[in-house]
């Protein structure tokens, strides 16, 4: 369970990104991209986020989480595919060396301020 | 109004991990991150590994544990330099982070080491997410766990450079399907070497040591 640490970092980065000249900023949403293979549980992350943002500009901010699919490429034959189960073996050449193109993201893309 | 940020939330750890990597490169020490669930026999695997490698290869160990120093005490008996990180000072974390490794590595001193092994905290989830500046990662699974662990915790097996299937001396007494366990590891990470061995009896140990020596 490392979602609390991730939530803390998320809050730190978001607060740092707020324009300094803004008086009493309120954040409406944080837009995240979380890879399907990353071991971050969105529900736990949201829970931790809600706890630590009380009385901050991030209080009541919504976490909009975009799930990024796991995309694998076989270096041996060049085949690229989206994996929906943890089977990363190349369907064409069986044992080729594979590489993950996406699916491990734990990124904050942007934040939206309240009007 | 939308403000673009575009950052990896773990970027602070990644930056620290890169710093560790430069430090280790400068000290000419190879760093191995050993991960597993609790009770896989990781410490015993390390004890036997150290006994075989020392004194030709100088090894240091950083042991991560939530509380006790039991594992560090066992490992120190091999003659290796051992230091302990107790994560309860950091809130009982379930994994080691790059800054903790930096502190421990400096405490240990890396000048006369060829190999630094980090015994990560027993957990198949969190340690997989945190780059600590290592050169290679090894995951230990044992035959007293489920054959389906690799597909339940795919990231751990996907990020590992090699896997150990430990406690194979117990196979005659269990219904564990070793071939299926290895198969599961290879569906998650094709091409990853898997060493089936017993840290208790030493059975199957040589290919693992050979792999490790080749990495250095
Ligand atoms: Zn292929």
């Amino acid at each position: 369970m490392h979602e609390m640490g991730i939530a803390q970092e998320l809050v730190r980065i978001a607060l740092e990104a707020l324009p300094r000249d803004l008086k009493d900023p309120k954040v409406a949403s944080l837009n995240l991209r979380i890879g399907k293979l990353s071991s971050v549980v969105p529900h736990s992350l949201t829970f931790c986020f809600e706890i630590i943002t009380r009385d901050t500009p991030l209080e009541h901010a919504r976490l909009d989480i975009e799930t990024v699919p796991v995309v694998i490429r076989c270096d041996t034959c060049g085949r690229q595919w989206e994996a929906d189960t943890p089977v990363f073996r190349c369907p064409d050449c069986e044992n080729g060396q594979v590489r993950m193109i996406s699916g491990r993201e734990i990124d904050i893309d942007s934040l939206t301020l309240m009007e | 109004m939308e403000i673009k940020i575009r950052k990896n939330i773990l970027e602070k750890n990644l930056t620290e991990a890169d710093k560790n990597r430069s430090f280790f490169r400068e000290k000419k020490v190879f760093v191995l991150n050993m991960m597993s669930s609790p009770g896989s026999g990781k410490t015993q695997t390390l004890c036997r590994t150290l006994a075989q490698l020392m004194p030709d290869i100088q090894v240091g160990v950083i042991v991560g544990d939530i509380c006790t120093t039991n594992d560090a005490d066992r490992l120190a008996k091999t003659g290796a330099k051992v230091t302990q990180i107790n994560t309860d000072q950091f809130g009982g974390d379930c994994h080691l982070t790059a800054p903790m490794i930096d502190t421990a590595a400096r405490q240990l001193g890396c000048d006369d080491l060829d190999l630094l092994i980090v015994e990560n905290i027993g957990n198949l989830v969190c340690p997989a997410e945190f780059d600590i500046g290592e050169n290679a990662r090894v995951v230990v699974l044992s035959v007293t766990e489920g054959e389906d662990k690799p597909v339940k915790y795919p990231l751990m097996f996907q990020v590992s450079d090699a896997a150990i299937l430990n406690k194979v001396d117990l196979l005659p007494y269990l219904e564990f399907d070793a071939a299926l366990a290895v198969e599961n590891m290879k569906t998650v990470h094709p091409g990853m070497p898997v060493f089936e061995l017993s840290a208790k009896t030493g059975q199957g140990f040589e290919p693992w040591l050979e792999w490790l020596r080749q990495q250095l």
Side-chain angles (χ1 to χ4, degrees), chain B residues 20 23-24 27 60-63 69 72 81-86 89-90 99-113 116:
Chain B
N20 287 354
F23 173 75
F24 292 135
K27 299 285 178 192
V61 187
I62 294 173
V63 183
T69 61
K81 278 166 86 176
V82 181
T83 191
Q84 168 95 33
I85 299 174
N86 283 133
Q89 298 151 12
F90 304 86
M100 297 180 200
I101 296 301
D102 175 57
T103 310
R106 284 169 202 279
Q107 191 180 316
L108 194 68
C110 292
D111 289 333
D112 49 356
L113 294 185
L116 175 63

Side-chain angles (χ1 to χ4, degrees), chain B residues 12-80:
Chain B
K12 210 167 95 184
N13 186 67
L14 289 169
T15 313
E16 291 297 318
D18 282 337
K19 277 194 218 157
N20 287 354
R21 242 184 300 277
S22 328
F23 173 75
F24 292 135
R25 202 179 308 121
E26 202 180 289
K27 299 285 178 192
K28 293 189 176 66
V29 55
F30 185 89
V31 182
L32 183 71
N33 184 2
M34 293 273 284
M35 302 180 283
S36 76
S37 44
S40 64
K42 192 169 35 164
T43 308
Q44 195 167 27
T45 304
L46 282 182
C47 284
R48 189 175 280 271
T49 302
L50 296 183
Q52 307 268 341
L53 294 180
M54 306 267 296
D56 305 342
I57 296 170
Q58 288 307 311
V59 193
V61 187
I62 294 173
V63 183
D65 219 327
I66 294 178
C67 287
T68 70
T69 61
N70 294 354
D71 292 350
D73 298 343
R74 278 165 71 191
L75 286 160
K77 290 197 184 107
T78 62

